[in-house]
């Protein structure tokens, strides 16, 4: 024998007996001759004639493939079925459309060769017709065929696995392929899908009515149990054509002994309900869909939706306010400032302006006759409700706010808002819209240092003539200026002192610039409950030899600044020797 032209193994001798019987001659080749990698060998033979000894090679060598490797290498891909069946499962109706045979394409795999046999399976190793790779289909995707009988043999419902193995000509068997799992719905389809329940509907009304508040809270729709309900069923709520995301039935949702208990509730959000119709009031059919391979509609519940609110449809249902409404504008009666009320305004009051058009471009009418507006100040109702008149439409509604209302939230940034309510006739109840919040800076006079008034500062070393002399100015580094304790004083307040002298006793002369002194003092725990003192330094006092001085101070906190009136004092800091002789003059 020869392999790739090389003689191998023992020679076979042709005997007379073999000739007489016309038998074939068998010659063994040791397997060590094929010990290398799997490949194709050229096998032939040569004949040495007897007794001449000449050798003749065969003219008909044949190719022998040595194959010890299973098809598919490290793995076989999964069977590929139609997308809709892989996504939603296989129903009896869909199988009818397919001619009662489900076909799946088997992908290409490593080392595919003519003679391979593909054996598809489903369920627990249920075989179907094998597929043989031939010269005709070697370049095609083989197709596995699963008949209705095969599918019913696998149970016909629930999750069923599909896979295959490949056996090559050498008898090597592949690993099991990756599984494809399909949901089968060939038996026990859902039936008796009764209408959903809507608990939020007003009792006694026909049909039921969903008003704005109920919609804004989200409407709970109960999904009743139905015949042949199964885990894995997908329930889709349909609110007047708006489909919500599917909810999957769990085994724990199914209560066979409690048929009146819903499977679960699905919440229809305000945005879902609003999106179902451009009108603010409309009739809606609410139903659910059971998706098990195909979609099965339930009976419907009819409901009236009334979302008519001041400002028109809410452009952002996810927030509690209607952004179509303008925020209120607050103007102080004393200061005339918008949204910044001074201490004087806190006494005089304010006017609140409410626009009657929307924020949309172009704007539309926000209110209707008989809408009711309730202003709130710092979370509390402010004043009596205002009923919109027909002649209000197109302009501004003005609501007065008194000092008591302004004082409700104290000083600081106060939230001002209004609620607008509209009667739902002919439906029951009413609908309400909230405006955006307006922040208003409020400074109450009572929260200012001293409640808005400070006592005049004191020169405590002034003599009985209300004068500071040389001795007082030159002692202990200067003379004290005392700022009396005031109401609301607390650590962190800032006191600012200003002192300046004049060269005339009555203060009508020239300012002595060298005497000017300013000082900032921060109130601490040491003087929060008592008076505060600042020393006017000697150097500034001595600049005023003969004249007067004025001093004032301001106190500021987080709410504002208050200035005390000027404190007045005479100044006489003349000093020196007195050794001149007396002057004597005779009188006639």
């Amino acid at each position: 024998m020869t392999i790739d032209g090389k003689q191998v193994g023992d020679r076979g001798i042709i005997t007379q007996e073999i000739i007489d019987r016309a038998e074939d001659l068998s010659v063994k080749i040791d397997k060590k001759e094929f010990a290398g990698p799997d490949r194709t060998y050229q096998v032939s033979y040569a004949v040495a004639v007897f007794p001449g000894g000449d050798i003749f090679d065969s003219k008909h060598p044949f190719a022998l493939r040595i194959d010890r490797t299973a098809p598919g290498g490290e793995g076989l891909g999964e069977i590929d079925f139609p997308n809709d069946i892989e996504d939603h499962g296989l129903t009896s109706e869909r199988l009818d459309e397919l001619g009662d045979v489900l076909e799946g394409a088997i992908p290409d795999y490593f080392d595919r060769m003519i003679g391979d046999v593909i054996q598809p399976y489903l369920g627990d190793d249920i075989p179907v017709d094998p597929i043989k790779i031939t010269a005709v289909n070697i370049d095609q995707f083989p197709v596995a065929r699963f008949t209705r009988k095969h599918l019913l043999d696998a149970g016909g419902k629930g999750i069923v696995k599909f896979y295959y193995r490949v056996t090559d000509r050498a008898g090597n068997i592949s690993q099991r392929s990756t599984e494809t799992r399909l949901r089968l719905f060939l038996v026990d389809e859902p039936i008796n899908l009764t209408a959903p329940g809507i608990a939020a509907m007003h009792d006694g009304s026909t049909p039921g009515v969903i008003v704005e508040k109920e919609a804004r809270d989200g409407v709970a729709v109960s999904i009743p149990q139905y015949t042949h309900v199964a885990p894995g069923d997908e329930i889709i709520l349909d609110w007047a054509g708006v489909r919500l995301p599917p909810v999957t039935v769990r085994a724990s949702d199914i209560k066979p002994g409690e048929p009146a208990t819903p499977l679960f509730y699905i919440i229809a959000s305000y945005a879902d309900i609003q999106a179902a119709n451009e009108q603010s009031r409309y009739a809606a059919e609410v139903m659910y869909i059971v998706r098990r391979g195909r979609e099965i509609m339930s009976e419907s519940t009819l409901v009236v939706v009334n979302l008519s609110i001041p400002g028109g449809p809410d452009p952002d249902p996810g927030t509690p306010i209607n952004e179509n409404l303008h925020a209120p504008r607050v103007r102080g009666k004393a200061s005339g400032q918008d949204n910044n009320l001074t201490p004087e305004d806190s006494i005089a009051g304010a006017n609140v302006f409410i626009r009657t058009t929307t924020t949309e471009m172009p704007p539309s009418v926000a209110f209707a006759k008989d809408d009711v507006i309730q202003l709130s100040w710092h979370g509390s109702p402010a004043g009596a409700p205002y009923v919109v008149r027909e002649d209000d439409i197109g302009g501004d509604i003005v609501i007065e706010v008194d000092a008591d209302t302004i004082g409700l939230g104290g000083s600081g940034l106060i939230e001002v808002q209004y609620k607008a309510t509209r009667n739902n006739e002919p439906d029951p109840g009413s609908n309400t819209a909230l405006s955006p919040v307006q922040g208003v800076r409020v400074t109450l006079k009572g929260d200012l240092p001293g409640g808005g008034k400070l006592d005049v500062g004191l020169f405590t070393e002034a003599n009985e003539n209300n004068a500071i002399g040389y001795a007082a100015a030159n002692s202990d580094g200067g003379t004290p200026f005392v700022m009396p304790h005031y109401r609301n004083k607390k650590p962190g307040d800032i006191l600012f002192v200003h002192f300046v002298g004049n060269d005339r006793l009555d203060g009508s002369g020239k300012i002595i610039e060298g005497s000017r002194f300013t000082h900032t003092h921060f109130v601490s725990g040491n003087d929060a409950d008592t008076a505060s003192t600042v020393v006017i330094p000697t150097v500034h006092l001595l600049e005023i030899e003969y004249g007067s001085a004025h001093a004032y101070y301001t106190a500021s906190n987080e709410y504002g600044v208050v200035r005390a009136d000027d404190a007045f004092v005479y100044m006489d800091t003349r000093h020196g020797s007195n050794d001149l002789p007396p002057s004597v003059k005779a009188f006639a």
Side-chain angles (χ1 to χ4, degrees), residues 242-533:
V242 173
R243 288 191 170 197
L244 277 63
V247 178
T248 302
V249 176
R250 301 166 301 178
S252 59
D253 297 324
I254 304 171
K255 302 174 179 64
E258 304 174 34
T261 302
L263 287 171
F264 43 68
Y265 292 85
I266 298 177
I267 305 298
S269 71
Y270 189 99
D272 298 326
I273 297 169
Q274 187 186 57
N277 199 295
E278 293 181 353
Q279 302 299 316
S280 59
R281 185 181 187 274
Y282 66 92
E285 276 194 280
V286 181
M287 67 187 73
Y288 59 93
I289 297 152
V290 178
R291 180 190 286 165
R292 187 195 286 178
R294 71 186 185 98
E295 294 185 348
I296 306 171
M297 299 283 187
S298 76
E299 298 175 0
S300 63
T301 297
L302 183 64
V303 63
V304 170
V305 176
N306 189 330
L307 303 182
S308 177
I309 55 174
D314 189 342
D316 188 359
T319 66
I321 65 171
N322 186 347
E323 287 80 3
N324 273 346
L325 293 174
H326 285 275
R329 179 166 48 92
V330 182
R331 177 173 295 170
K333 288 185 177 180
S335 69
Q337 296 183 41
D338 284 345
N339 306 321
N340 183 29
L341 301 186
T342 65
E344 293 72 26
D345 293 326
S346 71
I347 296 172
N351 289 322
V352 178
F353 296 83
I354 297 174
R355 296 282 297 276
T356 60
T357 55
T358 63
T359 59
E360 302 168 298
M361 293 304 293
S364 57
V365 174
F367 300 105
K369 181 178 179 294
D370 295 328
D371 283 354
V372 178
I373 296 175
Q374 177 62 63
L375 188 69
S376 72
W377 190 281
H378 195 59
S380 299
Y386 182 89
V387 180
V388 177
R389 304 187 306 266
E390 194 164 344
D391 59 1
D392 288 326
I393 309 301
D396 285 348
I397 292 171
V398 182
I399 299 176
E400 291 193 13
V401 176
D402 59 21
D404 290 341
T405 299
I406 294 174
L408 287 175
S411 297
L413 190 63
I414 303 302
E415 291 187 351
V416 180
Q417 190 177 29
Y418 61 88
K419 176 175 67 176
T421 302
R422 178 170 296 169
N423 195 299
N424 281 340
E425 292 183 355
D427 303 321
S430 58
N431 286 339
T432 297
L434 282 175
S435 77
V437 172
Q438 177 65 65
V440 178
R441 178 66 60 185
V442 174
T443 303
L444 299 182
K445 195 164 187 177
D447 289 332
L448 291 171
K453 184 172 178 58
L454 301 174
D455 291 337
V456 176
L458 303 172
F459 289 99
T460 55
E461 288 189 346
N463 61 19
E464 66 275 12
N465 298 320
N466 190 32
I468 300 293
Y470 176 77
N474 201 41
S475 63
D476 298 325
T479 193
F481 179 70
V482 177
M483 295 162 281
H485 183 263
Y486 55 84
R487 184 161 61 90
N488 299 335
K489 189 176 183 181
K490 60 184 181 296
D493 286 2
I494 301 173
L495 304 179
F496 177 78
V497 177
H498 182 271
F499 171 90
V500 68
N502 191 283
D503 65 1
R504 297 288 297 272
L505 286 176
D506 61 3
S508 62
K510 295 179 180 179
I511 295 296
I512 303 172
E513 288 298 334
S515 67
R516 191 183 298 275
F517 169 73
T518 59
H519 180 75
T520 300
H521 173 77
F522 293 91
V523 176
S524 68
N526 295 328
D527 60 342
D529 297 323
T530 185
S532 300
T533 301

Side-chain angles (χ1 to χ4, degrees), residues 175-189:
Q175 300 179 35
R176 178 167 159 163
S177 73
T178 302
E179 293 178 354
T180 302
R181 291 174 175 259
L182 299 182
R183 184 177 292 277
L184 303 186
F185 304 106
L186 304 182
V187 294
D188 298 340
E189 280 203 327

